[in-house]
Amino acid sequence: MQLTHRPVISSTGLFTPEESITNEELVESFNTFVDLHNERNADAIAAGEIEPLQHSSVEFIEKASGIKARHVMAKAPVLDPDIMAPRWDERSNDELSIMAEIGVKAARQALDRAGRKPEDVDAVLCAASNMQRAYPAMAIEIQQALGIEGFGFDMNVACSSATFGIQTAADYVRSGNAKSVLVVSPEITSGHLNWRDRDSHFIFGDVATAVLVEDAAIAPEQHWDILSTKLKTVFSNNIRNNFGFLNRAHPESAGEPDKLFVQEGRKVFKEVVPMVAQMIIDEAEKLQMDPATLRRLWLHQANAGMNRLIAQRVLGHEANDDESPTVLDTYGNTSSAGSIIAFHLNSDDLAAGDTGLICSFGAGYSAGTVFVRKAA
Ligand code: COA
């Protein structure tokens, strides 16, 4: 088989947890927690030593973010005002870890959809915002569970992990180092979300996605040509999570809220929108493409308002759902998986020759664009 060194997306896969939390359920649980907290601290609040916590609201969440519900791996403990975190039994080292398990489910679907056998895949990248352990790599565990030879490694670029993974996979194809690479993004964001933080408790949801990047020579008839990939990072503290192995060097602060997801949402909104819109326009120019001709934008799913503004700048008019589909309403922000879910659920209807854009952005700051064209 003569390889082309031209990377394409052969297929995608999606695993969605069964359980889902509506805004109503979430706010009810949060407000119960707030009332309990304020009751328990009534004396300190009355003495002016601490501020009372404030209620959350369904209307605010939907208006500020566009999120109406989110899937989670464990609903009951997240909604329990005395827990407000995921809970499940710890698995032994002989069992498949939970991140690998959902990654495998998404990966199997991608392989099935491409008609690809695991033994024909050369590499697995586990590209996600959080890894549940330092080593052995989740990617190697997924590789072993699927029966793939070759190599695998984990990579973390927060919300842009999947697009950075796609470029890495595409580069292996371009260089001839691999002809078939799985980019798997298991995002169990319920583990890093501070469910007690009013500013962000509504943001995230759990999911897993997989993207099969291959040399055009072996791709199935129905695939997406990758026209270009572009990555960008600019350091910012506006989205930060200080959890890590060195937390034990200062055990007194190891349980503080900064060891979970924290953000300055307004600043993120203001700084990331122009950066990403410009990045897309510049890359389109390099491709000698009028960005207004992009048939569909599969944007990172963090905030409906951000996507509205980015799509408007790129397309030159307010985008409708067909031009810039959202999955925020049912999935919430699923970190790096968001743009891949949007692509997975909203790409079959496009015609051969149509061009589109997968785009991610988030902590780092990091941003990635993948321009694609439907082949058949
Ligand atoms: N319920 C009710 N009111 C709330 C609330 C809640 N859960 N959380 C905040 N508020 C209040 C605030 O107290 C504030 O009140 P004030 O005006 O009286 O001070 C008001 O709502 C606005 O708060 P603000 O934090 O400025 O909201 P916002 O409009 O910026 O929306 C985000 C918050 C997070 C949805 C928004 O900034 C955002 O999406 N940013 C993009 C970044 C992102 O999502 N990143 C994820 C990683 S990529």
Side-chain angles (χ1 to χ4, degrees), residues 27 30-31 54-61 63-67 159 197-204 239 261 263-270 272 300-306 333 335 361-363:
V27 167
F30 183 89
N31 290 350
Q54 289 175 278
H55 278 185
S56 182
S57 102
V58 171
E59 296 69 34
F60 170 83
I61 295 171
K63 191 158 167 275
S65 71
I67 297 166
C159 289
D197 174 34
R198 179 174 178 257
D199 289 344
S200 65
H201 76 112
F202 52 88
I203 289 181
F204 288 106
I239 315 175
F261 169 89
Q263 77 166 345
E264 295 278 349
R266 287 261 149 163
K267 286 188 186 159
V268 174
F269 198 111
K270 274 199 198 132
V272 169
H300 176 54
Q301 303 285 312
N303 179 290
M306 286 176 98
N333 179 346
S335 195
F361 39 89

Side-chain angles (χ1 to χ4, degrees), residues 47-350:
E49 288 157 19
I50 59 169
E51 288 289 319
L53 296 181
Q54 289 175 278
H55 278 185
S56 182
S57 102
V58 171
E59 296 69 34
F60 170 83
I61 295 171
E62 199 175 325
K63 191 158 167 275
S65 71
I67 297 166
K68 295 180 186 164
R70 70 286 295 143
H71 290 273
V72 287
M73 295 296 289
K75 177 171 175 171
V78 160
L79 289 181
D80 183 334
D82 289 321
I83 303 176
M84 298 177 89
R87 289 277 189 278
W88 44 75
D89 292 338
E90 195 166 11
R91 298 184 181 188
S92 79
N93 290 353
D94 297 325
E95 292 173 280
L96 198 60
S97 57
I98 193 159
M99 266 188 80
E101 179 184 300
I102 67 170
V104 163
K105 286 180 179 166
R108 275 198 212 287
Q109 195 187 75
L111 294 176
D112 286 350
R113 283 163 59 113
R116 178 74 55 237
K117 293 199 196 78
E119 53 266 36
D120 298 328
V121 178
D122 304 313
V124 177
L125 311 185
C126 181
S129 294
N130 296 278
M131 297 299 160
Q132 74 181 92
R133 61 169 183 265
Y135 41 81
M138 244 58 65
I140 304 176
E141 196 183 3
I142 293 169
Q143 179 197 348
Q144 197 243 9
L146 291 169
I148 291 171
E149 287 178 17
F151 67 94
F153 61 89
D154 294 344
M155 52 185 290
N156 174 351
V157 200
C159 289
S160 289
S161 298
T163 52
F164 275 60
I166 291 172
Q167 166 153 324
T168 306
D171 284 345
Y172 285 141
V173 171
R174 289 171 182 134
S175 67
N177 279 327
K179 60 184 180 332
S180 177
V181 185
L182 259 176
V183 181
V184 186
S185 300
E187 290 285 11
I188 307 186
T189 59
S190 58
H192 82 177
L193 176 56
N194 184 352
W195 296 92
R196 294 193 167 96
D197 174 34
R198 179 174 178 257
D199 289 344
S200 65
H201 76 112
F202 52 88
I203 289 181
F204 288 106
D206 299 338
V207 81
T209 55
V211 181
L212 186 63
V213 177
E214 300 193 305
D215 190 293
I218 65 160
E221 196 187 331
Q222 293 212 343
H223 63 260
W224 293 81
D225 293 321
I226 295 178
L227 303 178
S228 92
T229 55
K230 180 81 180 173
L231 310 179
K232 185 179 173 83
T233 51
V234 180
F235 186 75
S236 168
N237 274 323
N238 289 333
I239 315 175
R240 192 160 172 129
N241 182 339
N242 287 329
F243 178 78
F245 77 108
L246 292 180
N247 292 161
R248 64 200 294 260
H250 32 78
E252 61 289 346
S253 65
E256 296 287 309
D258 72 313
K259 308 305 184 295
L260 296 167
F261 169 89
V262 184
Q263 77 166 345
E264 295 278 349
R266 287 261 149 163
K267 286 188 186 159
V268 174
F269 198 111
K270 274 199 198 132
E271 292 171 8
V272 169
V273 167
M275 179 180 110
V276 170
Q278 199 53 49
M279 187 179 166
I280 297 170
I281 290 164
D282 290 348
E283 190 60 12
E285 195 179 315
K286 241 173 73 190
L287 287 167
Q288 297 182 318
M289 176 194 286
D290 176 357
T293 63
L294 282 163
R295 173 67 186 81
R296 190 164 288 165
L297 307 177
W298 300 281
L299 298 179
H300 176 54
Q301 303 285 312
N303 179 290
M306 286 176 98
N307 286 5
R308 216 169 13 252
L309 287 174
I310 291 171
Q312 163 108 41
R313 287 194 195 186
V314 170
L315 300 177
H317 62 264
E318 178 135 353
N320 58 33
D321 264 3
D322 186 61
E323 293 167 318
S324 175
T326 184
V327 301
L328 268 172
D329 48 347
T330 50
Y331 282 90
N333 179 346
T334 50
S335 195
S336 75
S339 57
I340 308 300
I341 306 174
F343 177 70
H344 178 88
L345 295 177
N346 300 285
S347 50
D348 286 349
D349 60 314
L350 263 55

